[in-house]
Amino acid sequence: MSSSNENNTGAPLARPTDHNHASTQQISVMEEIESMFEISDDQVQVLIQGFIDEMKAGLANGHYDQYRRNDLKMIPSYVTGHPTGNEKGTYLALEISGVDIYVCQVKLKGEGGKLAINQYQYKIPDHLTAGDDIGVLFDYIADCVADFQRRVGSTSSSNGAHHHHAGTPAAISSSSSVPDHHQQDQLGAPRSYTMAISIGLALRQTGLNRGSIVALEHGFEFSNAIGCDVVEALHEKFQAKGLPIKIVALANDSVCTLLAHAYQHPSTRIGIVHAAGTNCAYYDKVSNMTGLLAQHEGPELNIHEEMIINTEWCNFGTKHHLPMTPFDQQLDAESNNHGIHIFEKMTTGMYLGEVVRQIIVYLLDRHLLSFATDDDDCLIRIPYHFDTSYMYVCEADEDLDTLEDTRVVLEEMCKVGQTSLADREIVKKACELVGHRAAHLLGASIASIVRYMFDQGIGTDLDGGFAISISGDVYKDYPSFHPRVCEALKALIPDDMAARLSVGIVQNSRIVGAAIVAMLAEP
C-alpha cells in the first residue's frame, strides 16, 4: 500500500514518550489508562463485522427508513459514472460550510486531470443565521454568487484583486490559479453556467438535484427550514437576480472529496473527510441498493451502474461496536447529542482534545499531576478548552529534555500553574494514546469498507490500483496521523488488497469535487 500527500505535510511517526521522570504511582496509573485505549484484535473484528453488517442493513432498508434504523445511513448520492481526467469544461461550484460560503469557477482542462480554480470566500453575517424565514439566507447566498459573477466577469478581477460592490456581500478572500474571464455565447450574451452545491446541512436527498433540509446545524435556526428544497429555493433567488445559473446537483463533502481526487486519479473509489467531523463516501453497485430500488419514485435507475453512497459513518457505534473507555462515556454523557455520533466523538477534531482534557482532570483529581489549577484564568477544568490542535504540538515536541512546547501549551495556553517535566511527559503520553487510538479506529473503519468492496467485486479490476482520497484538518495537520491510519489499514486487510491500495491527501476537495459532480450531471 502506498500513500501520497499532495500538501507535503507528511510527518514521521513520533517517538513514543517514556515516563523518565514520573513516579511509580504515576507510571502505574498511566499504564492503566494506556490499557483502556488499546484495541484488541477481538475488538477490531467486532468493529469490522459490525461496520459491514450496518452497511448492508442501511442499503437494504432504503432511503426513507435510514434515519430511524441504522448507524450507517447509506444515503444515495445519485452520482454515477467515473471521471477520467480527460473531461473539459467550465463549471460553477457553491460550498456552504458553517458560516463560510465559497463560490468557485473550475475550469477542467483534461490532459490527465489538469484544472484551474477561481474562488472567492464570503462570510454569513450573524443576523442571517436565525429567523422566521430561511429565504433571507438563500437571498444572501444568491447575492454572493452574483458578486462572484461580477468579479470574474471583469478584467480587473482576473488577478484575484478584491473589490467591494455597494449593496452586495464583500468577499473576504480570493484565490485564482488562472485568469478566466466570464465567457459569452456567440450573440454576446452571458453563457448559462451549470452549478453543483456542497452544503453543510443535513438533507434528505431524493435525486441528483433534489434535496430537502431535515436538520439545521452549525448554529443556524430558521422556523421554516425543515422540508425546504434547497435547489428550488436557490433557483428562485437566482432567477430573481437574473443569474444564468442552473443547479444540476447536490453533493456532500465526502462525495466531493472522492471526485476531486478521482479527476486526477481515476482509480479513486473511496473519499473521506476527517476534520471537526467525519464522513465517508464510496462507490457501490446500484443492484446492491435494494431499499432504494424498492422505494425510488424518479427516473428508472440503471442496476448495472455504480453510484456513490454517503455512509454518514459519524454515527457508527451506537450499537456497541466501538471499545469505549470511561472517558468516552463521560464525554458522551456530557455532550449535547448524547448516545449518537460515537465514532465522531472518538476520532475527530471536535472531540479529541476534550478526551485528553478529561484524562488530565482525572489525574489532577487524584493528585497525580503537580501543577495548580486554582487560578481564575486557568482553563484546563473548563470543557473543550484543551483544543485538539494542542495535541499536534505536544506529540511533535521532540525536545525530550525540556518538552518546552508542551510546557507552552499547558502554562501559556491552558493557564495552569508551573509544570514539572514529569507532568509534561504524562500529558504528551495522553495525547499519543488518544491520537493513536483515533487513527486505529479510522484505519479499521476504512478496512471495513475496503473488505466489503473487494468482496462485492467493486474496484478490483482497475488498472491503476485502488485509490482512497482523504481531506480534513485533522488528517492534514496532525503529525503522525496519516502514517498511523495507513499502518492500521494495511494490518487489517489481506496482502493482495493492500498491494493495490494507495491513499492520497487532497486539498480544495469540496469545491473541486462539486464542479466534477456538475460535469458528471451533464447529459
Side-chain angles (χ1 to χ4, degrees), residues 82-89 91 108-114 262-266 516 519:
H82 304 277
T84 66
N86 297 318
E87 298 89 351
K88 297 181 180 180
Y91 303 91
L108 305 178
K109 298 182 174 183
E111 301 178 27
K114 292 184 179 179
Y263 185 62
Q264 297 178 325
H265 305 274
I516 304 298
M519 178 271 293

Side-chain angles (χ1 to χ4, degrees), residues 255-286:
V255 173
C256 291
T257 294
L258 193 167
L259 291 172
H261 197 253
Y263 185 62
Q264 297 178 325
H265 305 274
S267 63
T268 307
R269 291 296 181 269
I270 297 175
I272 297 164
V273 176
H274 203 73
T278 185
N279 199 9
C280 175
Y282 75 102
Y283 277 99
D284 206 334
K285 297 175 181 177
V286 172

Side-chain angles (χ1 to χ4, degrees), residues 252-254 271-274 277-281 310-314:
N252 85 326
D253 52 0
S254 57
I272 297 164
V273 176
H274 203 73
T278 185
N279 199 9
C280 175
N310 164 24
T311 65
E312 289 293 331
W313 74 5
C314 59

Side-chain angles (χ1 to χ4, degrees), residues 296-523:
H296 182 64
E297 298 177 353
E300 184 176 355
L301 299 172
N302 183 348
I303 63 171
H304 302 293
E305 287 187 317
E306 291 181 354
M307 180 190 294
I308 300 177
I309 289 289
N310 164 24
T311 65
E312 289 293 331
W313 74 5
C314 59
N315 195 47
F316 181 68
T318 62
K319 298 178 181 177
H320 309 295
H321 293 125
L322 295 175
M324 298 179 71
T325 69
F327 302 105
D328 302 308
Q329 293 164 352
Q330 180 180 346
L331 185 150
D332 179 50
E334 295 174 354
S335 69
N336 59 6
N337 56 349
H338 172 63
I340 62 174
H341 289 202
I342 304 300
F343 180 65
E344 185 170 85
K345 290 171 182 173
M346 296 174 71
T347 64
T348 68
M350 180 70 73
Y351 299 102
L352 290 180
E354 176 61 9
V355 179
V356 172
R357 191 195 68 83
Q358 291 198 359
I359 295 174
I360 293 172
V361 171
Y362 173 87
L363 296 170
L364 284 167
D365 289 346
R366 284 152 184 79
H367 307 290
L368 293 170
L369 294 172
S370 68
F371 52 82
T373 62
D374 51 0
D375 190 281
D376 289 343
D377 293 331
C378 181
L379 302 175
I380 200 67
R381 291 188 178 274
I382 302 176
Y384 296 92
H385 275 68
F386 190 94
D387 193 83
T388 298
S389 64
Y390 298 169
M391 296 173 63
Y392 312 168
V393 176
C394 294
E395 279 219 51
D397 191 350
E398 292 297 312
D399 184 358
L400 300 184
D401 292 332
T402 64
L403 292 179
E404 172 63 16
D405 292 342
T406 305
R407 184 200 67 78
V408 169
V409 166
L410 290 169
E411 297 181 16
E412 299 183 19
M413 307 304 292
C414 297
K415 308 295 185 183
V416 306
Q418 183 176 351
T419 60
S420 68
L421 185 53
D423 294 333
R424 299 169 213 160
E425 289 175 349
I426 289 170
V427 170
K428 178 178 168 66
K429 183 64 177 182
C431 293
E432 291 171 0
L433 295 177
V434 174
H436 190 277
R437 185 194 61 168
H440 196 167
L441 291 174
L442 181 60
S445 300
I446 299 171
S448 304
I449 293 183
V450 171
R451 284 192 188 186
Y452 166 86
M453 294 179 71
F454 273 69
D455 287 346
Q456 296 292 324
I458 301 167
T460 57
D461 57 350
L462 299 173
D463 292 336
F466 186 108
I468 300 169
S469 59
I470 306 183
S471 68
D473 292 343
V474 171
Y475 209 89
K476 176 172 63 71
D477 297 335
Y478 197 155
S480 302
F481 202 84
H482 176 56
R484 283 171 176 166
V485 171
C486 292
E487 181 181 36
L489 173 58
K490 184 177 180 180
L492 295 173
I493 58 178
D495 290 343
D496 59 331
M497 292 186 192
R500 295 182 54 81
L501 290 189
S502 63
V503 180
I505 303 175
V506 296
Q507 60 182 345
N508 297 320
S509 58
R510 288 184 69 168
I511 206 75
V512 173
I516 304 298
V517 174
M519 178 271 293
L520 291 174
E522 287 190 331

Side-chain angles (χ1 to χ4, degrees), residues 87-344:
E87 298 89 351
K88 297 181 180 180
T90 302
Y91 303 91
L92 292 182
L94 173 66
E95 176 187 346
I96 304 169
S97 177
V99 295
D100 293 313
I101 297 172
Y102 302 88
V103 188
C104 183
Q105 183 187 75
V106 179
K107 187 173 185 179
L108 305 178
K109 298 182 174 183
E111 301 178 27
K114 292 184 179 179
L115 53 84
I117 303 171
N118 196 344
Q119 173 179 295
Y120 282 82
Q121 178 185 359
Y122 303 85
K123 186 75 69 175
I124 299 174
D126 290 343
H127 70 279
L128 294 181
T129 60
D132 296 328
D133 182 15
I134 196 171
V136 298
L137 175 59
F138 290 128
D139 192 68
Y140 177 78
I141 294 169
D143 282 339
C144 294
V145 174
D147 178 69
F148 175 83
Q149 288 287 78
R150 281 190 293 271
R151 292 171 185 270
V152 299
S154 65
T155 57
S156 62
S157 69
S158 64
N159 61 4
H162 292 220
H163 305 281
H164 178 66
H165 299 269
T168 63
I172 61 174
S173 67
S174 67
S175 61
S176 177
S177 59
V178 64
D180 190 37
H181 306 311
H182 191 65
Q183 300 185 30
Q184 297 185 335
D185 61 24
Q186 293 180 346
L187 298 179
R191 63 170 285 185
S192 176
Y193 278 105
T194 55
M195 171 184 276
I197 302 174
S198 174
I199 187 168
L201 297 174
L203 301 178
R204 184 187 297 274
Q205 194 165 346
T206 55
L208 187 58
N209 64 344
R210 297 193 307 275
S212 57
I213 298 173
V214 297
L216 291 178
E217 302 169 356
H218 306 294
F220 290 101
E221 185 175 351
F222 291 97
S223 57
N224 67 340
I226 306 304
C228 175
D229 187 299
V230 173
V231 174
E232 285 185 2
L234 281 173
H235 268 157
E236 179 183 333
K237 301 300 183 182
F238 288 170
Q239 290 170 4
K241 298 178 188 299
L243 297 175
I245 295 171
K246 180 181 180 182
I247 301 171
V248 296
L250 288 165
N252 85 326
D253 52 0
S254 57
V255 173
C256 291
T257 294
L258 193 167
L259 291 172
H261 197 253
Y263 185 62
Q264 297 178 325
H265 305 274
S267 63
T268 307
R269 291 296 181 269
I270 297 175
I272 297 164
V273 176
H274 203 73
T278 185
N279 199 9
C280 175
Y282 75 102
Y283 277 99
D284 206 334
K285 297 175 181 177
V286 172
S287 58
N288 287 338
M289 304 172 195
T290 53
L292 171 64
L293 291 170
Q295 300 167 0
H296 182 64
E297 298 177 353
E300 184 176 355
L301 299 172
N302 183 348
I303 63 171
H304 302 293
E305 287 187 317
E306 291 181 354
M307 180 190 294
I308 300 177
I309 289 289
N310 164 24
T311 65
E312 289 293 331
W313 74 5
C314 59
N315 195 47
F316 181 68
T318 62
K319 298 178 181 177
H320 309 295
H321 293 125
L322 295 175
M324 298 179 71
T325 69
F327 302 105
D328 302 308
Q329 293 164 352
Q330 180 180 346
L331 185 150
D332 179 50
E334 295 174 354
S335 69
N336 59 6
N337 56 349
H338 172 63
I340 62 174
H341 289 202
I342 304 300
F343 180 65
E344 185 170 85

